[in-house]
Amino acid sequence: MKAVQIIQPGEVKVIHLPLPGIKPGEVLVKINHTGFCGSDLNTYSGKNPMARLPVVPGHEISAEITERSEGVPEHIQPGRLCTVNPYTACGHCSSCRNGRPNACRYNQTLGVQRDGAMTEFMALPWEKIITDREHTLSKKALALVEPLSVGFHAVSRAQVTDLDTVMIIGCGMIGLGALIRSHIRGARVIAVDVDESKLALAGQLGAAYTLCSGTEDIHARLQDLTNGAGPDVVIEAVGAPATYRMAVDEVSFTGRVACIGYAKTEIAFETKLFVQKEMDIRGARNALPEDFRAVMEYLGRGHCPEDALISGIYPPEQAQEALERWKSSPGKVFRILISFE
C-alpha cells in the first residue's frame, strides 16, 4: 500500500508498506483523506523537535471501517465512516490520572512521535475510532474534525459563556475552531488576524467584529468595543511573542487567557499584569473525545462552509508540492488534504 513519508527536512517520498493486519480489539480502516497540520509543515521544514524522522505524517483523518476483530463493540461495523482520536496516552501520569489524557506527559501523536495516517490503510485500537453515527458528515468534513476540535477544547479550558466577550488571536484552522465554539456558546467574538481573507471567513463563521492587526490599532479598537474593560477571554492561536504579549496586555482584569500556539522563542512579559489583573492563564493541548463529538455535531448541521476551509486536495504523489505551496504562503492556507480515494 502507498504511504507518504517525510524522509528528512525538505524531502517527501511515496513509499510502499505491507497491508497491516489486525489484532483482537483492533479495526482496519481505509483512509479517505488525511490533512496536513502545522506540525507536519514544521516537520517538513526541520522545525519540529518532537518529530522522529523518517515519519509518515498525518493525524487529521477521514476513514472508512473495513474490518473488525473480536472484542470490538457492535456499533463499529465495516462500511461506517469515521475519524480517529490520534493521541496515545500512558494512562499513568498525573494528566491521565486527572482525567485529562489529551495532556499526557508521554503523549505520542500519530504523524509526530509515531507513524501517522498518510497511508492507504491503518490498524487501530477500536477505542480510537469515532464513528459518524448520524451519517451526516462528508468524507472531507471528517478530516476537519481533529483540527477544529483543538479550538473547541481551548474554549472549554477558558470556560467561555454567553456573558463573555472573547478575543481570538489568529484565524487559522484552530483559531476558527475556537471562534465557532465561542459563537455556539453565545459569546460575543472579536477576531484578530493580519490577513483580510481569513477575517472575512471569521465574520462568516460568527465573529461580531474582525480586526486587522496589520492596519488597525488593536488596543484602541478593543477599548472602544469593550467600554475600556478589555475582553473577558483571550484565546491565543498563533504562537508568536507579539501575540502572546497582546493576550496578556489586552485581557480584562480577572480575565482568562487560553494558550494554544507554540512560540518558538522565549517571551518576556510584564509579569505585574499577572498579579494586578489576577488573570487566569491556561494551556490548551490537543482535545478530548467530547470535543470531537461537539465538532461532529456542529458539522452535521450543515452550516459550515467546508470548501472554504480546504485550500487544496492532492494525491499522495503531490504531497511535497502541497507542502511547498503551504511553506511559501503560510498565511493563505487553511487545510490541505491528501486523498487516498
Side-chain angles (χ1 to χ4, degrees), residues 89-101:
C90 73
H92 305 292
C93 72
S94 57
S95 299
C96 292
R97 293 197 307 269
N98 290 332
R100 290 159 66 179

Side-chain angles (χ1 to χ4, degrees), residues 241 245 263-269:
R245 284 192 289 266
K264 296 179 178 62
T265 59
E266 293 184 357
I267 305 171
F269 289 102

Side-chain angles (χ1 to χ4, degrees), residues 100-244:
R100 290 159 66 179
N102 59 296
C104 173
R105 181 175 181 175
Y106 306 105
N107 171 70
Q108 291 192 339
T109 298
L110 292 177
V112 184
Q113 295 93 346
R114 57 174 59 189
D115 280 340
M118 210 156 279
T119 182
E120 291 185 273
F121 291 89
M122 287 193 80
L124 295 160
W126 73 262
E127 294 92 342
K128 297 298 180 185
I129 302 297
I130 305 174
T131 58
D132 177 18
R133 296 188 181 185
E134 305 302 321
H135 306 282
T136 55
L137 303 187
S138 69
K139 293 178 181 179
K140 291 187 295 184
L142 283 163
L144 303 178
V145 172
E146 192 276 342
L148 290 174
S149 74
V150 176
F152 272 48
H153 182 68
V155 171
S156 294
R157 289 283 294 141
Q159 296 177 301
V160 171
T161 75
D162 58 341
L163 300 178
D164 290 322
T165 294
V166 179
M167 174 187 180
I168 310 288
I169 307 177
C171 296
M173 193 70 174
I174 291 172
L176 290 180
L179 187 162
I180 291 166
R181 188 58 163 163
S182 298
H183 179 62
I184 290 172
R185 290 193 175 194
R188 183 177 68 145
V189 181
I190 301 170
V192 179
D193 202 283
V194 296
D195 187 88
E196 294 285 3
S197 62
K198 288 185 175 180
L199 290 172
L201 184 55
Q204 185 179 347
L205 291 171
Y209 302 97
T210 57
L211 310 183
C212 181
S213 56
T215 59
E216 299 183 71
D217 184 332
I218 300 300
H219 176 72
R221 288 294 311 277
L222 289 172
Q223 290 293 293
D224 180 58
L225 293 172
T226 63
N227 295 318
D232 305 289
V233 176
V234 178
I235 297 178
E236 200 288 335
V238 176
T243 52
Y244 261 88

